[in-house]
Amino acid sequence: MKEIEFDLLTEPWIRVRLKDNTVQEVSLTEALVSAQDYVDLAGEMPTQDAAVLRLLLAVLFTVFSRVNVKGEPEPLEKRGQALRRWSELWQLGHFPAEPIRDYLEQWKDRFWLFHPTHPFWQVPTLCNGIAFGGKKLNGERAESGNKTPLFQNVSKTECEVLSYAQAARWLIYQNGYDERGGRPKAGNKPRHGVGWLGQIGFVAVKGKNLYETLLRNMAFPTEQDALREEQQPCWEREQVRAEQSVKIVMPKNQAELLTLQSRRILLKRSETVPGVVGYEVLGGDYWDSENAFGEQMTLWSRTSKKNEKMTYKPQQHEAGKQLWREIPSMLDPEGRKPGVLTWNQQLQSLRILSRKEQIVLNMVGIRYDNQEASVKDVYTDQLAMQLAVLDELSRPWTVRINQEVERCEKAAERIGILCKELKLAGGLDYSQVKKVTEDARAQFYFAVDQPFRQWLQEIDPEQDDPDEAVLRWQAQARSIAEELGAKMVREAGNAALKGHRVVVDKGKKTECSTLYTSPKAYNTFRSKLWDIYPKAEP
């Protein structure tokens, strides 16, 4: 078995989508210098793509914080410099190959997947970690070793032995999204929570191709001390950090932040066939998530009370919740926006990006079980709008958009109440009502989803009148809710028309009951709906 094997700079391992919609594996070098030729990353899971995107960004931050687009040494020191460099990269339409190739050639010994002293993003001396098999490394099929796998779409051998290319992708993923895990071995510290990417509400700006996606998320810090701090990606460390579960100060430089070693990992190769059969893992580095504003790719939620010092924490996405429903947390003028969103806003306000430029926000969410010991779900969503909507001059728009999202929430609540009352009118037991009301709210969000996205995308802040656009949307939203409500009444049938009397206080000597009927429920629903969406002519 070779000591040094699988060069990430020349071997194909990053999955990208081509313009003809086919998927191809390319090397790390090609993913960067030919990024304009690829539509996007196309890994096995959205979470894997998010982790790989951050790796590519770390290389770009490192290179172009040190040299200009011609490859000449010119370290960034001031905000104006950073904006000019970003603008020059944008005008090129691609990343200049020479500076990238020169940098990667300088550090080529650190990009081997297997190496005696510096295996990529691993700890070569790891010997007492929790051992797992290959199928656990594969985030697409990760499962307990105590279970018999059912309905596998690959053979047992393929499931247990990963190719080097697969293992490289899942290594990056595990460093970002690994679960908390079970009890550690004697003498080892427990892993501190899930990986950092599993703790945030990941948001990225999506461009027309991979080059644009990378550049639009290459948000240089605006603070001078952060801009001047030397970029230090994990592969440039002379001594690989091996201590378990270490709390560190969040770095100001993006390359180090993006290559956080959340886990100490060492891959295990097969002795018979080329491939990875398992790995060992221990807890790695972590930092305090409160006010961790160096992180540019997350939503934020305020944790402090009204008269206290402002504190924020990353706001995780909610499974099943469309991205447009999280707009208030992104556009709240009193809150904190994702760093990549603020950066694109600045570029637009300085006319580096056109006011007509579209911004497509891409979110990736992950849900663990209650003990954070396994992944239950992964979900993704996108949202498009004109970048000008985010501009400070467009504040009347952001206020109104936020209000319309809140109205949709209220309308969904009324749909849920209507459903509950119709089910009770039809004779359903009170204890079974909660689930059906949740399903009804989900139906409304599904019905209103595409129309709201289209309305938002078509807003032109320079030409449209906010009040007229809002009235047009309210009429459409009210119509959608009314149609859904009428359909629910029809489906409730004759039993609900006659109605049922429900006892609400069985424990009292004098029983209190309420008669539920479908006409009464629907009339109340329509009255409340008109309170939410008052009738007015656009």
Side-chain angles (χ1 to χ4, degrees), residues 254-266:
Q254 285 295 299
E256 186 176 357
L257 186 153
L258 293 167
T259 58
L260 171 72
Q261 195 182 24
S262 283
R263 296 292 183 262
R264 313 290 190 228
I265 296 178
L266 184 62

Side-chain angles (χ1 to χ4, degrees), residues 9 51 221 345:
L9 301 182
Q345 226 177 311

Side-chain angles (χ1 to χ4, degrees), residues 310-446:
M310 288 269 203
T311 56
Y312 292 87
K313 280 195 172 184
Q315 176 183 309
Q316 293 178 301
H317 300 294
E318 186 180 324
K321 188 173 185 178
Q322 295 91 340
L323 184 54
W324 58 264
R325 292 168 59 195
E326 295 182 327
I327 281 179
S329 65
M330 289 189 283
L331 301 187
D332 182 3
E334 306 300 324
R336 188 170 186 93
K337 300 174 184 175
V340 291
L341 202 58
T342 303
W343 175 254
N344 278 263
Q345 226 177 311
Q346 291 176 6
L347 295 170
Q348 187 270 327
S349 65
L350 294 169
R351 300 297 188 265
I352 296 173
L353 291 175
S354 165
R355 280 185 64 82
K356 298 289 186 181
E357 189 77 37
Q358 282 271 319
I359 186 168
V360 180
L361 298 175
N362 181 48
M363 78 85 162
V364 177
I366 188 168
R367 182 169 64 90
Y368 301 90
D369 65 13
N370 292 336
Q371 289 75 40
E372 296 184 329
S374 65
V375 175
K376 303 296 288 183
D377 195 13
V378 170
Y379 39 94
T380 185
D381 194 8
Q382 291 184 4
L383 185 66
M385 68 184 90
Q386 271 202 26
L387 185 55
V389 171
L390 307 176
D391 193 285
E392 190 63 32
L393 297 174
S394 300
R395 185 163 179 175
W397 279 105
T398 60
V399 170
R400 284 167 174 79
I401 291 168
N402 286 347
Q403 289 172 343
E404 293 315 309
V405 173
E406 290 169 3
R407 283 193 174 98
C408 281
E409 300 282 354
K410 291 177 181 177
E413 184 181 349
R414 295 312 313 181
I415 285 283
I417 293 171
L418 172 63
C419 177
K420 179 188 78 172
E421 293 180 349
L422 289 174
K423 294 298 181 183
L424 292 174
L428 186 70
D429 187 84
Y430 203 91
S431 62
Q432 300 175 24
V433 165
K434 184 177 179 182
K435 177 66 171 64
V436 294
T437 57
E438 289 174 356
D439 291 343
R441 286 195 294 269
Q443 281 184 54
F444 173 73
Y445 284 127
F446 179 80

Side-chain angles (χ1 to χ4, degrees), residues 29-66:
T29 306
E30 283 304 307
L32 290 168
V33 300
S34 301
Q36 72 281 357
D37 297 329
Y38 310 131
V39 175
D40 204 356
L41 294 172
E44 286 91 336
M45 291 172 66
T47 41
Q48 186 191 90
D49 286 339
V52 172
L53 179 72
R54 288 167 71 93
L55 165 63
L56 298 175
L57 283 170
V59 177
L60 293 172
F61 272 113
T62 305
V63 173
F64 294 109
S65 289
R66 297 174 182 175

Side-chain angles (χ1 to χ4, degrees), residues 10-110:
T10 59
E11 297 278 2
W13 66 280
I14 294 177
R15 287 165 57 99
V16 294
R17 190 173 305 281
L18 305 182
K19 293 174 182 176
D20 62 2
N21 211 33
T22 58
V23 175
Q24 178 180 320
E25 289 185 1
V26 299
S27 68
L28 189 151
T29 306
E30 283 304 307
L32 290 168
V33 300
S34 301
Q36 72 281 357
D37 297 329
Y38 310 131
V39 175
D40 204 356
L41 294 172
E44 286 91 336
M45 291 172 66
T47 41
Q48 186 191 90
D49 286 339
V52 172
L53 179 72
R54 288 167 71 93
L55 165 63
L56 298 175
L57 283 170
V59 177
L60 293 172
F61 272 113
T62 305
V63 173
F64 294 109
S65 289
R66 297 174 182 175
V67 302
N68 59 28
V69 295
K70 297 177 181 178
E72 301 164 342
E74 191 182 329
L76 294 178
E77 294 185 350
K78 296 180 180 178
R79 177 174 176 268
Q81 261 185 304
L83 289 166
R84 279 194 301 275
R85 186 152 307 165
W86 195 98
S87 178
E88 288 168 357
L89 289 168
W90 181 252
Q91 289 167 15
L92 275 177
H94 61 86
F95 294 115
E98 188 176 348
I100 293 173
R101 291 188 188 278
D102 287 349
Y103 172 78
L104 295 177
E105 175 66 22
Q106 179 186 353
W107 292 94
K108 63 182 180 181
D109 289 342
R110 303 294 175 85

